[in-house]
Amino acid sequence: MTLLWLPIGLAIPTLIGWLVLTLLEGKTPVLLATERWVMGLLLGLTFTMYLTFLAHIASIIALSLAGFFAIQLVALAILGGLYFLREWRDAAYGVSPPVPPAPSPRPRLWIVLILIALLLWTAAKIILPGFILLSTPPYFDDTISNWNMRGNVFFVTKNLELRLPTQRPGDTAPNSLSSYPPTVPMAKAWLADLAGKWDIGLVNSIHLVWLLISLALVWTTIRRTASRTWSVIALWLLASLPLYLMQGTNAYADVFLSAHLLAAAVLLYHAARAETPQQRLAALRLAAFATALLPFTKNEGFLIYLPTILAVTVALLLVSVKRNILTWKHVGVAFAWFVLLILAIGAPWIGFKLAHGMPFGNAKSVSGFTIAWQPNVLVSIAINTFFEGNWLLLFPVFIALLLARSREAFRTPLAVLTFTFLIVYLGQIPLFLFTSLSTEALMQTGYARGLIHLVPIVIIIVTLLARSIVDNEDERYKKQDTRNKE
Amino acid sequence: MRFRIFLLGLFFVPLAAHAEDSTVWNFQNADALKVWNVQGISVQPTAEGFHITGQGGMIRATLLAHPIDVIELTFARSQATTIALLWHVPGAPQQALVQVPIVLSGGSQPETVTVNMGRYQKWSRNADLLGLGFPEGTDLVLQDMTMRGWSLSEKILEAWRSFWTFDEEKAYSINFLWGPLLVTNPVAREQLFSTLPPFGRSANSIFYGIIILAGLVIASLAAYRRMRLRDGARHRTCILAFLGVVASVWLVYDVRMGSEILSYAARDYRTYVSQPPGNRTLRNLENFYDVVERSMPLLTLDPHYVIIVPKGIEHLATVALSMTYPSVPLFPEEKPGPEIHAWLIFRRGDIRVDDHGQLVQGSTVLSPPGRIVTQFDQTSFLFRPIDAIVRRPMGAGTDAACGVSTIHPQ
């Protein structure tokens, strides 16, 4: 029965997220209806926790049931008011029609049966380990000593404590100061406040929601361009990755971050696919919102993914101008949205970290590295990527498809996703090869976590490239090129 | 008719005719010593086996009719020591012996050490010399030595079985999963995930082999039928066939790894979720959660309690903290004061209650006088100082909730 607090606790944040996305879209909807709700749930919860954090550090509220609730009601009232104002205004001026999903012809019976079997198998792989997550105490280290511990401390003290209790009360070393953004533990504290007790099943259940969000985002992204068959295949592929499934059915925050990164990258992809300037600008506004929330997820969100998404955005804007899809004025407006939202959401958190002397790395500080070749790292990376059970056949297949379909991977809107992956992946390899971060690769910790964040994006690329082969899109592109020349 | 010919053909296939070959060198008779070249050590044949003392080694010609995959050494009694297993690779210089360490736990009971020789790169299945090396101060009785080898068909079968042998959920499982590993004998399979890193060939290399082979076959067929690269539908058929092979391999791999993850869930259900308090164990932390949970009424009475856990896994205190917060455990080094209500001792055989009712470690007194209120197992218990009992006597309800089973009034 305690689990009933989960949907209750997610309802208002989802609505807040949905309202923010709808308002940012303006008169030009660029999301599928399902996509808007899924992203609303993901981004809405994080955004709500960010607002709560702001109000808390401004000493307006405590991290209590009343505090959480007050912020959500105020946000809902303001956003709801803006929404109805817009509805009233748009009733006069009209809005663009909603985005339809791609056509989905009914596949043959044997294909339907295979797809149903894949979905049932996937459901079993999520439900059974999910049941264990809800009915056993935490086992893995980060769950115990970080995510759940901090959530429990917030719940008990009603305060954003930066130092966690320890068996050695005299320990005041800098590394005992928590450096992580508080979104995940605050969400747990909110659920616990609703239930009135710290219930392990309830506070861990949110991690299953983040796994389902990630799967749903992969589904909706594929559905924008391909049939349901391909959406099911993509969903099965992502859930088939053993390490992703392990992380998703345990109380870790890497799938949570992967969903946020996926949302930001997918919204940029939507912008790249948009046919009109208005649609492209609307998608860019949404991408700016998702990007701005990245620093408030995990430290990697600020250090690695925010700069990457910004770099891809700048490239997309320049290409858009070159192809006469956007004007320089449009570029200025889009860039202003990014700057505004990143400053509004990222800056307070970064300022808070600086003010409290909180480090920016996770396991290690990011400053003070000495540069030297680290032996055995390449072998370790190769084993983790190609010869363990973590990713099945994903990376060899991905590399083969990039080579076989390089035109589509690098010269169509899909390039947004391809470059997001490549910048992050190739950017972090030198860190492992030449700095003391090598232990993260040698011990198979940080390296594999980095891939967890990226694999939903890789799955989308793999699915769309495979689909282009199966549907023989080469011929289609050729015909299209010929027509364009004519 | 074809089926009958097929059945008849089976008689000519030596499928599992020589599934396992095994040779035992028994050392319980004096004649057995004749074939051994002994240096440095003293070897006395006894009814139990060779009584070996001193430092040195013994070696002999292998002279077996079958290759060796596994060697088993049985000691009637031994000491905690590390001896060496030696061999000579045919064709190598006469003095070039290879050796690997064999760790003996020691004791008066017979001990068998099983060594999967395949895990050593320098091992030769047809080694022509085998021997043992002993360090200074050796005093043990070697009872017998068994050499085991398996046929090709049995090795293939074992590789298939090892493919479906799953790891258990461990602390590293959140960071990486070994995936299916292939080994070719039952001993290696039994030991598959018991060492870090595990020994075995990654099944991924087989998968890659299948995919590359399929690609070559399909490409060859296409070339044979003279399909041009842009030959519309037929070219597409070839690509679809290849993608079908990749998808099939992916599916098999998914079933293998998905089954492993489901086996984690099944084990947790069996050992924890479905068990009543007192019988619950979870993964390698065994009954720790159960012990803390049963101690909760006492542990959560006050802001602090003391916890003593085995050395090297102090992390258990953090696990306890996550369960009892806002009550915080303290290590005894923090010099807890008289306000401490409860001491949780987990798997510490070196800590006991002395005649004065105090917790002691050797001659060091750890706590004021008190009593054990719950004994969880031989070396785990919940202890309460008398002062605490007087200050705050527990109600029957709390005692029952603690599962008070063994009370030792002092």
Side-chain angles (χ1 to χ4, degrees):
Chain A
M1 287 301 285
T2 314
L3 279 180
L4 284 177
W5 289 111
L6 177 70
I8 294 170
L10 296 179
I12 299 179
T14 306
L15 202 51
I16 289 172
W18 186 90
L19 285 168
V20 172
L21 294 173
T22 307
L23 289 169
L24 284 173
E25 280 177 289
K27 286 191 278 187
T28 322
V30 287
L31 297 173
L32 298 175
T34 323
E35 203 171 21
R36 195 175 296 112
W37 280 112
V38 173
M39 284 198 186
L41 170 55
L42 174 73
L43 304 177
L45 183 62
T46 302
F47 182 59
T48 307
M49 292 305 132
Y50 165 72
L51 295 177
T52 313
F53 160 79
L54 269 191
H56 178 68
I57 60 171
S59 303
I60 297 171
I61 56 148
L63 296 182
S64 60
L65 180 63
F68 279 110
F69 207 52
I71 291 300
Q72 292 179 22
L73 285 184
V74 170
L76 191 63
I78 293 171
L79 292 166
L82 288 171
Y83 174 75
F84 284 115
L85 193 68
R86 197 205 69 167
E87 285 290 291
W88 170 74
R89 187 194 64 190
D90 289 345
Y93 298 102
V95 290
S96 307
V99 179
S104 188
R106 191 181 175 83
R108 289 177 207 161
L109 183 62
W110 65 272
I111 294 179
V112 172
L113 293 176
I114 289 176
L115 295 178
I116 289 172
L118 289 178
L119 283 176
L120 290 175
W121 170 238
T122 300
K125 285 192 300 178
I126 294 171
I127 291 170
L128 296 177
F131 169 71
I132 294 298
L133 172 68
L134 304 188
S135 48
T136 56
Y139 171 77
F140 292 110
D141 186 47
D142 282 2
T143 306
I144 292 167
S145 57
N146 187 17
W147 307 116
N148 279 15
M149 191 71 247
R150 293 173 66 207
N152 202 349
V153 169
F154 295 172
F155 167 65
V156 169
T157 64
K158 314 296 178 203
N159 192 31
L160 192 83
E161 297 288 341
L162 297 179
R163 281 187 200 282
L164 298 179
T166 163
Q167 305 84 310
R168 295 187 171 86
D171 182 13
T172 54
N175 61 3
S176 66
L177 194 62
S178 178
S179 72
Y180 295 88
T183 311
V184 173
M186 279 175 69
K188 287 169 182 267
W190 157 238
L191 292 175
D193 273 327
L194 274 175
K197 60 180 178 180
W198 184 259
D199 182 89
I200 285 293
L202 176 65
V203 300
N204 284 349
S205 62
I206 187 70
H207 295 272
L208 293 176
V209 173
W210 283 318
L211 172 65
L212 295 176
I213 285 174
S214 203
L215 293 167
L217 282 182
V218 166
W219 167 284
T220 52
T221 306
I222 301 295
R223 212 43 208 97
R224 294 285 289 258
T225 55
S227 62
R228 278 194 196 89
T229 302
W230 286 103
S231 295
V232 174
I233 289 172
L235 191 147
W236 163 63
L237 286 175
L238 181 58
S240 77
L241 302 180
L243 200 58
Y244 198 77
L245 189 65
M246 276 298 292
Q247 292 259 347
T249 52
N250 278 288
Y252 266 47
D254 293 284
V255 165
F256 160 71
L257 173 53
S258 83
H260 272 276
L261 177 63
L262 178 65
V266 156
L267 287 166
L268 273 188
Y269 173 58
H270 289 346
R273 290 184 71 246
E275 288 167 359
T276 65
Q278 287 69 30
Q279 284 178 335
R280 188 163 289 206
L281 287 172
L284 283 169
R285 285 195 296 274
L286 298 178
F289 177 57
T291 306
L293 286 173
L294 282 172
F296 210 60
T297 53
K298 279 190 80 186
N299 286 332
E300 299 94 317
F302 173 66
L303 290 174
I304 302 172
Y305 302 122
L306 178 70
T308 304
I309 294 289
L310 285 180
V312 174
T313 304
V314 168
L316 176 64
L317 290 174
L318 293 178
V319 170
S320 302
V321 172
K322 196 180 166 195
R323 293 186 179 170
N324 295 323
I325 299 169
L326 295 182
T327 62
W328 283 109
K329 190 183 168 191
H330 287 140
V331 169
V333 171
F335 201 73
W337 273 103
F338 271 86
V339 172
L340 182 77
L341 288 173
I342 289 170
L343 282 179
I345 299 176
W349 167 240
I350 302 304
F352 181 80
K353 285 188 86 160
L354 291 172
H356 289 84
M358 293 158 71
F360 279 84
N362 285 345
K364 290 179 187 305
S365 168
V366 291
S367 59
F369 287 141
T370 50
I371 307 295
W373 172 254
Q374 307 290 318
N376 298 324
V377 171
L378 272 181
V379 174
S380 191
I381 285 175
I383 289 173
N384 186 290
T385 316
F386 299 112
F387 291 100
E388 283 179 357
N390 307 318
W391 319 110
L392 303 189
L393 307 173
L394 180 64
F395 289 100
V397 168
F398 177 53
I399 293 168
L401 284 170
L402 279 189
L403 294 174
R405 308 295 291 185
S406 55
R407 185 192 173 284
E408 186 163 0
F410 293 100
R411 296 183 63 189
T412 67
L414 199 56
V416 166
L417 300 180
T418 311
F419 281 114
T420 301
F421 171 82
L422 288 177
I423 291 171
V424 173
Y425 187 79
L426 298 178
Q428 68 182 353
I429 292 293
L431 287 176
F432 294 130
L433 286 176
F434 294 102
T435 73
S436 57
L437 277 180
S438 58
T439 50
E440 299 286 310
L442 292 170
M443 303 298 289
Q444 304 202 46
T445 49
Y447 172 76
R449 300 276 181 89
L451 290 183
I452 291 283
H453 306 154
L454 294 168
V455 288
I457 292 175
V458 177
I459 287 292
I460 289 175
I461 300 171
V462 163
T463 308
L464 291 179
L465 292 181
R467 175 212 170 219
S468 80
I469 291 177
V470 173
D471 290 356
N472 211 10
E473 290 202 343
D474 244 5
E475 295 302 317
R476 217 178 66 191
Y477 281 124
K478 270 189 174 174
K479 283 175 191 166
Q480 205 170 11
D481 283 351
T482 316
R483 272 203 302 272
N484 288 344
K485 278 174 192 168
E486 284 167 5
Chain B
M1 185 61 187
R2 280 183 185 175
F3 184 65
R4 286 179 194 171
I5 293 171
F6 170 73
L7 285 179
L8 197 62
L10 285 181
F11 284 105
F12 298 97
V13 180
L15 271 178
H18 302 287
E20 180 189 342
D21 288 307
S22 172
T23 303
V24 181
W25 291 339
N26 194 325
F27 303 126
Q28 289 167 313
N29 64 78
D31 289 346
L33 188 56
K34 290 176 186 169
V35 293
W36 287 90
N37 179 7
V38 177
Q39 285 184 351
I41 49 174
S42 160
V43 182
Q44 296 296 323
T46 69
E48 284 184 304
F50 289 170
H51 181 201
I52 300 168
T53 53
Q55 181 184 8
M58 50 193 277
I59 198 160
R60 60 161 286 183
T62 310
L63 301 175
L64 294 186
H66 62 85
I68 304 167
D69 296 308
V70 165
I71 295 178
E72 284 175 3
L73 297 160
T74 302
F75 299 86
R77 61 186 167 82
S78 64
Q79 59 199 140
T81 186
T82 302
I83 64 170
L85 179 65
L86 315 166
W87 69 88
H88 179 258
V89 178
Q94 193 62 29
Q95 298 304 316
L97 291 176
V98 186
Q99 66 171 20
V100 293
I102 305 291
V103 178
L104 305 182
S105 51
S108 56
Q109 297 299 313
E111 177 183 1
T112 299
V113 181
T114 305
V115 189
N116 169 34
M117 300 307 295
R119 70 174 303 145
Y120 301 110
Q121 277 189 337
K122 291 185 176 176
W123 171 245
S124 162
R125 297 181 74 217
N126 299 304
D128 52 6
L129 293 174
L130 271 179
L132 295 167
F134 301 95
E136 192 178 353
T138 296
D139 184 356
L140 49 78
V141 175
L142 178 60
Q143 192 171 301
D144 62 50
M145 197 167 162
T146 305
M147 279 62 60
R148 301 165 69 186
W150 283 268
S151 66
L152 180 64
S153 57
E154 187 70 11
K155 278 171 179 284
I156 293 170
L157 193 59
E158 276 304 322
W160 173 252
R161 286 174 180 153
S162 67
F163 179 83
W164 292 103
T165 301
F166 303 145
D167 193 6
E168 289 175 0
E169 191 166 7
K170 295 171 186 154
Y172 60 69
S173 307
I174 198 73
N175 288 321
F176 61 89
L177 301 159
W178 294 116
L181 297 173
L182 304 179
V183 292
T184 53
N185 67 65
V187 171
R189 184 162 57 83
E190 266 174 35
Q191 301 173 351
L192 194 55
F193 294 106
S194 60
T195 56
L196 277 178
F199 168 76
R201 186 188 186 86
S202 166
N204 286 30
S205 51
I206 306 294
F207 289 141
Y208 298 149
I210 291 171
I211 290 170
I212 291 168
L213 191 66
L216 290 175
V217 168
I218 291 170
S220 305
L221 280 175
Y224 178 71
R225 293 183 181 178
R226 300 190 176 188
M227 287 181 204
R228 282 179 296 126
L229 202 59
R230 299 291 173 196
D231 191 5
R234 286 198 294 176
H235 175 244
R236 190 161 173 267
T237 307
C238 289
I239 289 182
L240 289 183
F242 180 68
L243 285 180
V245 171
V246 175
S248 305
V249 173
W250 191 307
L251 183 59
V252 170
Y253 204 169
D254 174 29
V255 170
R256 160 63 179 77
M257 291 308 294
S259 303
E260 177 166 322
I261 289 174
L262 290 182
S263 79
Y264 299 165
R267 184 166 185 260
D268 287 345
Y269 182 80
R270 214 172 41 245
T271 63
Y272 190 90
V273 180
S274 66
Q275 296 294 324
N279 287 341
R280 291 178 162 182
T281 60
L282 191 71
R283 304 169 203 167
N284 63 338
L285 296 190
E286 298 178 1
N287 65 337
F288 182 73
Y289 292 103
D290 196 52
V291 163
V292 176
E293 214 147 275
R294 290 168 64 196
S295 309
M296 288 286 258
L298 262 185
L299 299 183
T300 53
L301 260 185
D302 286 311
H304 291 102
Y305 59 92
V306 174
I307 190 165
I308 306 181
V309 293
K311 287 192 171 66
I313 46 172
E314 284 81 6
H315 157 74
L316 287 182
T318 314
V319 178
L321 168 64
S322 75
M323 296 170 75
T324 61
Y325 183 80
S327 292
V328 178
L330 295 176
F331 285 137
E333 306 89 89
E334 298 296 322
K335 309 225 180 308
E339 76 283 0
I340 296 297
H341 244 101
W343 292 61
L344 180 63
I345 316 299
F346 183 73
R347 300 286 170 91
R348 287 296 295 261
D350 58 330
I351 291 176
R352 62 187 174 82
V353 179
D354 71 1
D355 295 340
H356 305 290
Q358 300 161 315
L359 276 180
V360 292
Q361 182 182 21
S363 57
T364 309
V365 175
L366 300 174
S367 77
R371 69 181 194 188
I372 294 176
V373 291
T374 312
Q375 185 89 41
F376 301 105
D377 56 45
Q378 289 282 328
T379 53
S380 310
F381 56 89
L382 185 59
F383 177 87
R384 233 186 137 199
I386 294 287
D387 281 355
I389 298 172
V390 172
R391 232 177 22 245
R392 198 186 296 195
M394 303 287 293
T398 318
D399 277 344
C402 269
V404 175
S405 52
T406 312
I407 298 179
H408 302 270
Q410 301 297 323

